[in-house]
Amino acid sequence: MKKKLIASLIVGLAGIFNLSTANAQILSVREQARVIDENLADRFDNHLAKMMDDAGMDMWVIVSREYNEDPVLKTMLPAEWLNARRRTILVFYRHPQKNTVERLAVARYDFGANIKAAWDTQKFPDQWDALLDIISQRNPKKIGINTSSHFAHADGLDHTEFQELMEKLPLAMKSRVTSAEPLAIRWLETRTPREMQFYPQLINVTHKIIAEGFSEKVITPGITTSEDVVWWFRQKIRDLGYDTWFHPTVDIQRPDPKTDGAERSFASKPKADVIQPGDLIHVDIGISYLRLNTDIQQHAYILRPGETEVPANIQLAFSKANRLQDILTSHFKEGRTGNQILAGALQQAKKENINGSIYSHPIGYHGHAAGPAIGMWDNQGVVSGTGDQHLRKNTAYSIELNASSVIPEWSKAIRIMLEEDAFFDGNTVRYINGRQKQIYPIPRPSNFNQ
């Protein structure tokens, strides 16, 4: 019965998301909560055990206080909990004989159906004593805590909580405490089959929002500014009932030698300006829903009077960026590090005379998520720590990069900046909801087919 309910809900989600953005409806807050809690149950019941085995961790202790939540704990909260409550402690124990994962909450409030309440306040008035009783009874080989030098996502145990925990632990147990970074990364980066049922719809919505924003419905050349479009995107996302994990950006490249082109630093906010015919515009946008995130970058071109399509050299430059995407994803091999993938892709791009830069990252519970970093926009060499992470199957990535090309009629180079979300199944990479292959012309000719 439960499987049928989940299946029908997924079908319903697909139908909802496939509507045009003008008429899109999202699940009610109550239905969203049900999806979130069922998704958590699936992850706990069907995936956490293997994650713990792969990480070699038989106990995972997550400690967090209200309004200073551990990033991992935030992804585990019941949908009805918007924050932790007072001090919240979660314990996961991989039982070797029963082949199960025991899930316990040492918390003053009921933690919901997925994690069992495990604090008898009458027997243990001190919360730390309740935790120590759980640990001593199970006698784990390792006690994983969320500390990490390289991943903020896995470094959620604050200094005070760490000190109090270590002061309470007996000497024999202290030596078993270790970083849970490998387990935290696996929890955050793994995209389950159930999540991949509704993730495509979220990315589809992002694409449709961009298509509408990059059209004559929103942009009137000579009047509309890039900042107007930024705020249109922000408002549209909110009006549809989604949220965004970063403020969108819209920037302009044009023939004027005084304006920024391929040389603009990503550390500087793009300058707001009136959008004019002949401009190449670019958006970076991402939305959040059901605890998942998207991250997309696409382009549009403002047709000049008499033009019916994007100039050939600009579309050719775009095609080179598409080719760079292909080169990068062809180097995705399970077990390779982010640094190895980056080096191989850049070497091949150079052979094909593509002037490219790659800065791709995992995506999922966070926009810039845990897992192997594949370059940084300001580091095209070895990325220490995060770039040393190995590529694992059932993970999602924002394929983010740019390719610079000289446009002869502009007497300058432009930079095509692309970002599309993709899934790696261990063998192949597929774009979760396709990718942009042609620049959006504005206004849109009737024969345009994206």
Side-chain angles (χ1 to χ4, degrees), residues 269-344:
K269 182 181 177 181
K271 296 177 183 178
D273 202 350
V274 176
I275 296 171
Q276 303 285 357
D279 284 349
L280 177 67
I281 61 175
H282 157 266
V283 65
D284 188 355
I285 191 173
I287 65 177
S288 305
Y289 185 60
L290 299 175
R291 293 189 177 172
L292 293 175
N293 297 275
T294 68
D295 198 1
I296 309 291
Q297 295 182 46
Q298 295 189 345
H299 287 265
Y301 174 81
I302 314 302
L303 296 175
R304 296 175 182 272
E307 286 183 328
T308 57
E309 59 185 18
V310 176
N313 282 328
I314 295 178
Q315 185 58 49
L316 178 61
F318 190 90
S319 298
K320 287 184 179 180
N322 274 159
R323 175 57 189 154
L324 185 58
Q325 290 175 317
D326 294 337
I327 291 171
L328 172 57
T329 57
S330 73
H331 285 266
F332 273 52
K333 305 293 181 186
E334 189 174 6
R336 285 185 181 174
T337 67
N339 288 327
Q340 290 171 333
I341 295 169
L342 174 69

Side-chain angles (χ1 to χ4, degrees), residues 123-135:
K123 185 177 180 180
F124 297 106
D126 187 306
Q127 190 175 12
W128 291 115
D129 289 338
L131 173 63
L132 293 183
D133 182 65
I134 289 172
I135 294 173

Side-chain angles (χ1 to χ4, degrees), residues 383-417:
V383 180
S384 62
T386 56
D388 295 322
Q389 281 286 312
H390 293 86
L391 187 70
R392 285 177 281 271
K393 65 180 179 180
N394 299 325
T395 49
Y397 298 86
S398 276
I399 304 302
E400 184 177 11
L401 47 77
N402 75 70
S404 180
S405 299
V406 173
I407 305 301
E409 55 268 39
W410 285 25
S411 301
K412 63 189 287 189
I414 64 169
R415 184 164 54 192
I416 299 296
M417 297 160 280

Side-chain angles (χ1 to χ4, degrees), residues 115-389:
I115 300 180
K116 180 182 176 182
W119 183 13
D120 183 343
T121 57
Q122 297 299 315
K123 185 177 180 180
F124 297 106
D126 187 306
Q127 190 175 12
W128 291 115
D129 289 338
L131 173 63
L132 293 183
D133 182 65
I134 289 172
I135 294 173
S136 61
Q137 284 190 36
R138 287 150 185 82
N139 195 27
K141 295 177 182 178
K142 290 184 179 180
I143 303 170
I145 59 174
N146 286 350
T147 58
S148 173
S149 298
H150 300 294
F151 289 92
H153 322 76
D155 194 37
L157 181 62
D158 70 31
H159 182 67
T160 300
E161 303 299 282
F162 174 75
Q163 282 187 317
E164 293 194 22
L165 173 63
M166 296 307 290
E167 286 173 5
K168 283 284 188 177
L169 281 175
L171 185 62
M173 288 289 183
K174 289 181 181 180
S175 62
R176 304 182 195 183
V177 174
T178 185
S179 169
E181 177 189 280
L183 178 53
I185 291 172
R186 279 165 177 77
W187 171 264
L188 293 172
E189 74 174 352
T190 301
R191 301 278 65 81
T192 67
R194 191 175 190 278
E195 288 171 344
M196 293 311 299
Q197 291 288 335
F198 54 81
Y199 213 168
Q201 317 307 329
L202 179 57
I203 297 168
N204 183 22
V205 167
T206 311
H207 284 156
K208 287 181 176 178
I209 291 171
I210 293 173
E212 185 175 348
F214 274 1
S215 74
E216 57 271 31
K217 293 180 182 178
V218 175
I219 297 173
T220 301
I223 296 176
T224 308
T225 70
S226 54
E227 195 70 2
D228 292 336
V229 183
V230 165
W231 284 104
W232 182 91
F233 280 125
R234 185 74 181 271
Q235 191 66 51
K236 184 70 174 183
I237 292 167
R238 181 65 59 84
D239 290 348
L240 289 172
Y242 305 104
D243 206 348
T244 182
W245 61 275
F246 68 95
H247 187 61
T249 59
V250 172
D251 58 89
I252 301 170
Q253 296 180 83
R254 57 171 55 128
D256 184 352
K258 296 179 182 179
T259 59
D260 292 332
E263 74 285 351
R264 180 178 71 82
S265 170
F266 292 142
S268 302
K269 182 181 177 181
K271 296 177 183 178
D273 202 350
V274 176
I275 296 171
Q276 303 285 357
D279 284 349
L280 177 67
I281 61 175
H282 157 266
V283 65
D284 188 355
I285 191 173
I287 65 177
S288 305
Y289 185 60
L290 299 175
R291 293 189 177 172
L292 293 175
N293 297 275
T294 68
D295 198 1
I296 309 291
Q297 295 182 46
Q298 295 189 345
H299 287 265
Y301 174 81
I302 314 302
L303 296 175
R304 296 175 182 272
E307 286 183 328
T308 57
E309 59 185 18
V310 176
N313 282 328
I314 295 178
Q315 185 58 49
L316 178 61
F318 190 90
S319 298
K320 287 184 179 180
N322 274 159
R323 175 57 189 154
L324 185 58
Q325 290 175 317
D326 294 337
I327 291 171
L328 172 57
T329 57
S330 73
H331 285 266
F332 273 52
K333 305 293 181 186
E334 189 174 6
R336 285 185 181 174
T337 67
N339 288 327
Q340 290 171 333
I341 295 169
L342 174 69
L346 289 177
Q347 184 179 29
Q348 185 176 342
K350 187 175 181 180
K351 288 181 181 178
E352 297 188 23
N353 295 315
I354 297 175
N355 184 12
S357 180
I358 295 169
Y359 32 96
S360 298
H361 58 84
I363 192 166
Y365 280 142
H366 302 94
H368 295 151
I374 307 172
M376 298 284 184
W377 67 264
D378 54 351
N379 183 358
Q380 292 295 281
V382 174
V383 180
S384 62
T386 56
D388 295 322
Q389 281 286 312

Side-chain angles (χ1 to χ4, degrees), residues 63-71 83-84 156-159 161:
V63 186
S64 198
R65 283 181 292 171
E66 194 169 0
Y67 305 131
N68 189 31
E69 286 80 14
D70 179 304
N83 301 93
L157 181 62
D158 70 31
H159 182 67
E161 303 299 282

